Amino acid sequence: MPLLKSYLKEAKKASSSVKAGNMSPSAENEVNDRELSALKAVIKCIEEHNLEEQYPVDPLQKRILQLEKAKAEKKRANFSYI
């Protein structure tokens, strides 16, 4: 499934470019949301086609947790300024 790996690589590359640049918080959230969606889509595909042995989903799920945690922290930080 080189296609899944390529898809994830592109999603991660787009997300990592956010950290390098100075994007607005809303643009940064949008990029992170796209990576989250990509990760969830790949996990769904892996599970639907019973590919867990070739493509473990644990690292993908850990990345999802990281992104969701970062998103929640940013949201809390934004509300603390109000």
Side-chain angles (χ1 to χ4, degrees):
M1 288 292 221
L3 185 59
L4 289 178
K5 288 183 178 183
S6 177
Y7 182 68
L8 283 175
K9 184 178 177 182
E10 290 301 314
K12 190 166 183 115
K13 190 186 331 179
S15 177
S16 65
S17 68
V18 170
K19 292 153 186 79
N22 293 326
M23 294 183 107
S24 70
S26 62
E28 195 173 325
N29 285 338
E30 184 180 327
V31 171
N32 285 343
D33 286 343
R34 274 192 251 143
E35 184 180 357
L36 274 169
S37 295
L39 288 165
K40 289 176 182 180
V42 169
I43 287 173
K44 183 178 179 181
C45 183
I46 289 170
E47 290 173 345
E48 285 180 356
H49 297 282
N50 299 316
L51 299 170
E52 289 92 336
E53 285 187 31
Q54 297 97 318
Y55 302 98
V57 295
D58 285 344
L60 304 176
Q61 290 171 331
K62 287 178 183 177
R63 180 65 180 149
I64 287 173
L65 290 174
Q66 288 175 337
L67 290 169
E68 288 175 342
K69 182 179 176 183
K71 188 176 179 179
E73 288 172 358
K74 285 180 188 177
K75 190 179 276 188
R76 266 183 269 149
N78 288 340
F79 283 124
S80 68
Y81 289 120
I82 297 176

